[in-house]
PDB file of all heavy atoms in Angstrom:
ATOM      1  N   SER N 352      21.854   9.584  10.589  1.00 97.00           N
ATOM      2  CA  SER N 352      22.155   9.791  12.009  1.00 97.00           C
ATOM      3  C   SER N 352      23.513   9.207  12.369  1.00 97.00           C
ATOM      4  O   SER N 352      24.320   9.858  13.047  1.00 97.00           O
ATOM      5  CB  SER N 352      21.068   9.147  12.879  1.00 97.00           C
ATOM      6  OG  SER N 352      19.838   9.820  12.741  1.00 97.00           O
ATOM      7  N   ARG N 353      23.764   7.995  11.919  1.00 97.00           N
ATOM      8  CA  ARG N 353      25.010   7.340  12.310  1.00 97.00           C
ATOM      9  C   ARG N 353      26.206   7.910  11.538  1.00 97.00           C
ATOM     10  O   ARG N 353      27.243   8.236  12.132  1.00 97.00           O
ATOM     11  CB  ARG N 353      24.911   5.839  12.083  1.00 97.00           C
ATOM     12  CG  ARG N 353      26.021   5.063  12.818  1.00 97.00           C
ATOM     13  CD  ARG N 353      25.660   3.633  13.016  1.00 97.00           C
ATOM     14  NE  ARG N 353      26.638   2.960  13.863  1.00 97.00           N
ATOM     15  CZ  ARG N 353      26.420   2.561  15.104  1.00 97.00           C
ATOM     16  NH1 ARG N 353      25.246   2.799  15.670  1.00 97.00           N
ATOM     17  NH2 ARG N 353      27.353   1.949  15.798  1.00 97.00           N
ATOM     18  N   ALA N 354      26.068   8.032  10.233  1.00 96.00           N
ATOM     19  CA  ALA N 354      27.198   8.457   9.414  1.00 96.00           C
ATOM     20  C   ALA N 354      27.497   9.939   9.592  1.00 96.00           C
ATOM     21  O   ALA N 354      28.653  10.333   9.810  1.00 96.00           O
ATOM     22  CB  ALA N 354      26.918   8.148   7.943  1.00 96.00           C
ATOM     23  N   GLY N 356      26.467  11.935  11.992  1.00 97.00           N
ATOM     24  CA  GLY N 356      26.854  12.205  13.370  1.00 97.00           C
ATOM     25  C   GLY N 356      28.332  11.933  13.588  1.00 97.00           C
ATOM     26  O   GLY N 356      29.059  12.741  14.188  1.00 97.00           O
ATOM     27  N   ALA N 357      28.817  10.803  13.078  1.00 96.00           N
ATOM     28  CA  ALA N 357      30.239  10.482  13.205  1.00 96.00           C
ATOM     29  C   ALA N 357      31.093  11.479  12.429  1.00 96.00           C
ATOM     30  O   ALA N 357      32.145  11.939  12.912  1.00 96.00           O
ATOM     31  CB  ALA N 357      30.499   9.062  12.704  1.00 96.00           C
ATOM     32  N   ASP N 605      17.572   7.910  26.319  1.00 97.00           N
ATOM     33  CA  ASP N 605      16.768   8.285  25.156  1.00 97.00           C
ATOM     34  C   ASP N 605      15.811   9.441  25.439  1.00 97.00           C
ATOM     35  O   ASP N 605      15.098   9.884  24.536  1.00 97.00           O
ATOM     36  CB  ASP N 605      15.942   7.092  24.670  1.00 97.00           C
ATOM     37  CG  ASP N 605      16.790   5.992  24.062  1.00 97.00           C
ATOM     38  OD1 ASP N 605      18.026   6.123  24.108  1.00 97.00           O
ATOM     39  OD2 ASP N 605      16.227   5.006  23.569  1.00 97.00           O
ATOM     40  N   LEU N 665      24.128  12.816  21.684  1.00 97.00           N
ATOM     41  CA  LEU N 665      23.935  11.376  21.473  1.00 97.00           C
ATOM     42  C   LEU N 665      24.514  10.919  20.139  1.00 97.00           C
ATOM     43  O   LEU N 665      24.899   9.751  19.997  1.00 97.00           O
ATOM     44  CB  LEU N 665      22.447  11.032  21.530  1.00 97.00           C
ATOM     45  CG  LEU N 665      21.704  11.358  22.829  1.00 97.00           C
ATOM     46  CD1 LEU N 665      20.241  10.982  22.706  1.00 97.00           C
ATOM     47  CD2 LEU N 665      22.338  10.649  24.008  1.00 97.00           C
ATOM     48  N   LEU N 666      24.530  11.814  19.158  1.00 97.00           N
ATOM     49  CA  LEU N 666      25.018  11.442  17.824  1.00 97.00           C
ATOM     50  C   LEU N 666      26.524  11.568  17.689  1.00 97.00           C
ATOM     51  O   LEU N 666      27.121  10.947  16.807  1.00 97.00           O
ATOM     52  CB  LEU N 666      24.350  12.324  16.757  1.00 97.00           C
ATOM     53  CG  LEU N 666      22.830  12.293  16.657  1.00 97.00           C
ATOM     54  CD1 LEU N 666      22.371  13.125  15.469  1.00 97.00           C
ATOM     55  CD2 LEU N 666      22.306  10.879  16.533  1.00 97.00           C
ATOM     56  N   LEU N 667      27.140  12.357  18.549  1.00 96.00           N
ATOM     57  CA  LEU N 667      28.560  12.648  18.393  1.00 96.00           C
ATOM     58  C   LEU N 667      29.472  11.676  19.121  1.00 96.00           C
ATOM     59  O   LEU N 667      30.696  11.755  18.969  1.00 96.00           O
ATOM     60  CB  LEU N 667      28.854  14.078  18.882  1.00 96.00           C
ATOM     61  CG  LEU N 667      28.202  15.220  18.086  1.00 96.00           C
ATOM     62  CD1 LEU N 667      28.595  16.564  18.685  1.00 96.00           C
ATOM     63  CD2 LEU N 667      28.592  15.158  16.616  1.00 96.00           C
ATOM     64  N   ARG N 668      28.890  10.786  19.911  1.00 95.00           N
ATOM     65  CA  ARG N 668      29.714   9.836  20.660  1.00 95.00           C
ATOM     66  C   ARG N 668      29.076   8.456  20.612  1.00 95.00           C
ATOM     67  O   ARG N 668      27.846   8.332  20.580  1.00 95.00           O
ATOM     68  CB  ARG N 668      29.856  10.269  22.121  1.00 95.00           C
ATOM     69  CG  ARG N 668      30.524  11.606  22.311  1.00 95.00           C
ATOM     70  CD  ARG N 668      30.693  11.931  23.789  1.00 95.00           C
ATOM     71  NE  ARG N 668      31.696  11.095  24.417  1.00 95.00           N
ATOM     72  CZ  ARG N 668      32.999  11.381  24.429  1.00 95.00           C
ATOM     73  NH1 ARG N 668      33.433  12.480  23.850  1.00 95.00           N
ATOM     74  NH2 ARG N 668      33.863  10.586  25.032  1.00 95.00           N
ATOM     75  N   PRO N 669      29.897   7.395  20.630  1.00 95.00           N
ATOM     76  CA  PRO N 669      29.319   6.048  20.737  1.00 95.00           C
ATOM     77  C   PRO N 669      28.532   5.916  22.041  1.00 95.00           C
ATOM     78  O   PRO N 669      28.877   6.525  23.058  1.00 95.00           O
ATOM     79  CB  PRO N 669      30.560   5.141  20.742  1.00 95.00           C
ATOM     80  CG  PRO N 669      31.657   5.959  20.159  1.00 95.00           C
ATOM     81  CD  PRO N 669      31.372   7.371  20.550  1.00 95.00           C
ATOM     82  N   GLY N 670      27.476   5.138  21.997  1.00 95.00           N
ATOM     83  CA  GLY N 670      26.681   4.935  23.202  1.00 95.00           C
ATOM     84  C   GLY N 670      25.434   4.131  22.921  1.00 95.00           C
ATOM     85  O   GLY N 670      25.070   3.883  21.754  1.00 95.00           O
ATOM     86  N   GLU N 671      24.752   3.718  23.987  1.00 96.00           N
ATOM     87  CA  GLU N 671      23.556   2.888  23.832  1.00 96.00           C
ATOM     88  C   GLU N 671      22.446   3.620  23.097  1.00 96.00           C
ATOM     89  O   GLU N 671      21.735   3.030  22.276  1.00 96.00           O
ATOM     90  CB  GLU N 671      23.073   2.430  25.214  1.00 96.00           C
ATOM     91  CG  GLU N 671      24.005   1.446  25.908  1.00 96.00           C
ATOM     92  CD  GLU N 671      23.455   0.996  27.250  1.00 96.00           C
ATOM     93  OE1 GLU N 671      22.336   1.426  27.599  1.00 96.00           O
ATOM     94  OE2 GLU N 671      24.132   0.214  27.935  1.00 96.00           O
ATOM     95  N   ALA N 672      22.249   4.892  23.412  1.00 96.00           N
ATOM     96  CA  ALA N 672      21.177   5.639  22.753  1.00 96.00           C
ATOM     97  C   ALA N 672      21.430   5.740  21.256  1.00 96.00           C
ATOM     98  O   ALA N 672      20.511   5.591  20.441  1.00 96.00           O
ATOM     99  CB  ALA N 672      21.049   7.029  23.374  1.00 96.00           C
ATOM    100  N   ARG N 673      22.651   5.994  20.862  1.00 97.00           N
ATOM    101  CA  ARG N 673      23.007   6.058  19.435  1.00 97.00           C
ATOM    102  C   ARG N 673      22.793   4.709  18.775  1.00 97.00           C
ATOM    103  O   ARG N 673      22.283   4.624  17.636  1.00 97.00           O
ATOM    104  CB  ARG N 673      24.459   6.507  19.294  1.00 97.00           C
ATOM    105  CG  ARG N 673      24.967   6.626  17.862  1.00 97.00           C
ATOM    106  CD  ARG N 673      26.364   7.234  17.868  1.00 97.00           C
ATOM    107  NE  ARG N 673      26.903   7.391  16.524  1.00 97.00           N
ATOM    108  CZ  ARG N 673      27.733   6.531  15.936  1.00 97.00           C
ATOM    109  NH1 ARG N 673      28.116   5.424  16.578  1.00 97.00           N
ATOM    110  NH2 ARG N 673      28.173   6.756  14.709  1.00 97.00           N
ATOM    111  N   ASP N 674      23.142   3.639  19.460  1.00 97.00           N
ATOM    112  CA  ASP N 674      22.957   2.300  18.897  1.00 97.00           C
ATOM    113  C   ASP N 674      21.467   1.971  18.754  1.00 97.00           C
ATOM    114  O   ASP N 674      21.064   1.360  17.755  1.00 97.00           O
ATOM    115  CB  ASP N 674      23.641   1.253  19.777  1.00 97.00           C
ATOM    116  CG  ASP N 674      25.157   1.321  19.688  1.00 97.00           C
ATOM    117  OD1 ASP N 674      25.674   1.918  18.718  1.00 97.00           O
ATOM    118  OD2 ASP N 674      25.831   0.791  20.596  1.00 97.00           O
ATOM    119  N   ARG N 675      20.662   2.344  19.745  1.00 97.00           N
ATOM    120  CA  ARG N 675      19.210   2.080  19.636  1.00 97.00           C
ATOM    121  C   ARG N 675      18.607   2.887  18.489  1.00 97.00           C
ATOM    122  O   ARG N 675      17.766   2.402  17.740  1.00 97.00           O
ATOM    123  CB  ARG N 675      18.502   2.413  20.947  1.00 97.00           C
ATOM    124  CG  ARG N 675      18.445   1.274  21.950  1.00 97.00           C
ATOM    125  CD  ARG N 675      17.501   1.584  23.100  1.00 97.00           C
ATOM    126  NE  ARG N 675      17.950   2.735  23.869  1.00 97.00           N
ATOM    127  CZ  ARG N 675      18.778   2.668  24.907  1.00 97.00           C
ATOM    128  NH1 ARG N 675      19.242   1.490  25.301  1.00 97.00           N
ATOM    129  NH2 ARG N 675      19.141   3.758  25.562  1.00 97.00           N
ATOM    130  N   LEU N 676      19.031   4.144  18.381  1.00 97.00           N
ATOM    131  CA  LEU N 676      18.480   5.013  17.340  1.00 97.00           C
ATOM    132  C   LEU N 676      18.781   4.471  15.951  1.00 97.00           C
ATOM    133  O   LEU N 676      17.965   4.593  15.038  1.00 97.00           O
ATOM    134  CB  LEU N 676      19.061   6.420  17.488  1.00 97.00           C
ATOM    135  CG  LEU N 676      18.576   7.469  16.493  1.00 97.00           C
ATOM    136  CD1 LEU N 676      17.094   7.751  16.693  1.00 97.00           C
ATOM    137  CD2 LEU N 676      19.386   8.750  16.612  1.00 97.00           C
ATOM    138  N   THR N 677      19.933   3.871  15.782  1.00 97.00           N
ATOM    139  CA  THR N 677      20.347   3.403  14.455  1.00 97.00           C
ATOM    140  C   THR N 677      20.280   1.886  14.323  1.00 97.00           C
ATOM    141  O   THR N 677      20.841   1.328  13.382  1.00 97.00           O
ATOM    142  CB  THR N 677      21.774   3.892  14.145  1.00 97.00           C
ATOM    143  OG1 THR N 677      22.675   3.377  15.135  1.00 97.00           O
ATOM    144  CG2 THR N 677      21.838   5.408  14.151  1.00 97.00           C
ATOM    145  N   ALA N 678      19.589   1.226  15.244  1.00 96.00           N
ATOM    146  CA  ALA N 678      19.460  -0.231  15.182  1.00 96.00           C
ATOM    147  C   ALA N 678      18.781  -0.641  13.883  1.00 96.00           C
ATOM    148  O   ALA N 678      17.820  -0.018  13.436  1.00 96.00           O
ATOM    149  CB  ALA N 678      18.655  -0.732  16.379  1.00 96.00           C
ATOM    150  N   LEU N 693      34.109   5.550   9.187  1.00 95.00           N
ATOM    151  CA  LEU N 693      33.541   6.569  10.065  1.00 95.00           C
ATOM    152  C   LEU N 693      33.483   6.095  11.511  1.00 95.00           C
ATOM    153  O   LEU N 693      33.815   6.843  12.443  1.00 95.00           O
ATOM    154  CB  LEU N 693      32.137   6.946   9.587  1.00 95.00           C
ATOM    155  CG  LEU N 693      32.072   7.902   8.389  1.00 95.00           C
ATOM    156  CD1 LEU N 693      30.698   7.864   7.751  1.00 95.00           C
ATOM    157  CD2 LEU N 693      32.421   9.321   8.828  1.00 95.00           C
ATOM    158  N   GLU N 694      33.037   4.852  11.702  1.00 95.00           N
ATOM    159  CA  GLU N 694      32.956   4.318  13.063  1.00 95.00           C
ATOM    160  C   GLU N 694      34.344   4.234  13.694  1.00 95.00           C
ATOM    161  O   GLU N 694      34.526   4.579  14.872  1.00 95.00           O
ATOM    162  CB  GLU N 694      32.314   2.928  13.031  1.00 95.00           C
ATOM    163  CG  GLU N 694      30.833   2.938  12.678  1.00 95.00           C
ATOM    164  CD  GLU N 694      29.994   3.605  13.750  1.00 95.00           C
ATOM    165  OE1 GLU N 694      29.964   3.126  14.891  1.00 95.00           O
ATOM    166  OE2 GLU N 694      29.377   4.647  13.444  1.00 95.00           O
ATOM    167  N   LEU N 697      35.501   7.738  14.578  1.00 95.00           N
ATOM    168  CA  LEU N 697      34.810   8.251  15.760  1.00 95.00           C
ATOM    169  C   LEU N 697      35.406   7.665  17.032  1.00 95.00           C
ATOM    170  O   LEU N 697      35.668   8.389  18.006  1.00 95.00           O
ATOM    171  CB  LEU N 697      33.320   7.921  15.665  1.00 95.00           C
ATOM    172  CG  LEU N 697      32.461   8.338  16.857  1.00 95.00           C
ATOM    173  CD1 LEU N 697      32.497   9.853  17.046  1.00 95.00           C
ATOM    174  CD2 LEU N 697      31.026   7.853  16.684  1.00 95.00           C
TER     175      LEU N 697
END
Side-chain angles (χ1 to χ4, degrees):
S352 292
R353 196 159 187 109
D605 291 5
L665 300 179
L666 301 185
L667 295 180
R668 299 183 71 87
E671 292 182 2
R673 180 173 181 263
D674 289 342
R675 272 191 297 271
L676 181 66
T677 60
L693 281 163
E694 290 293 298
L697 177 61

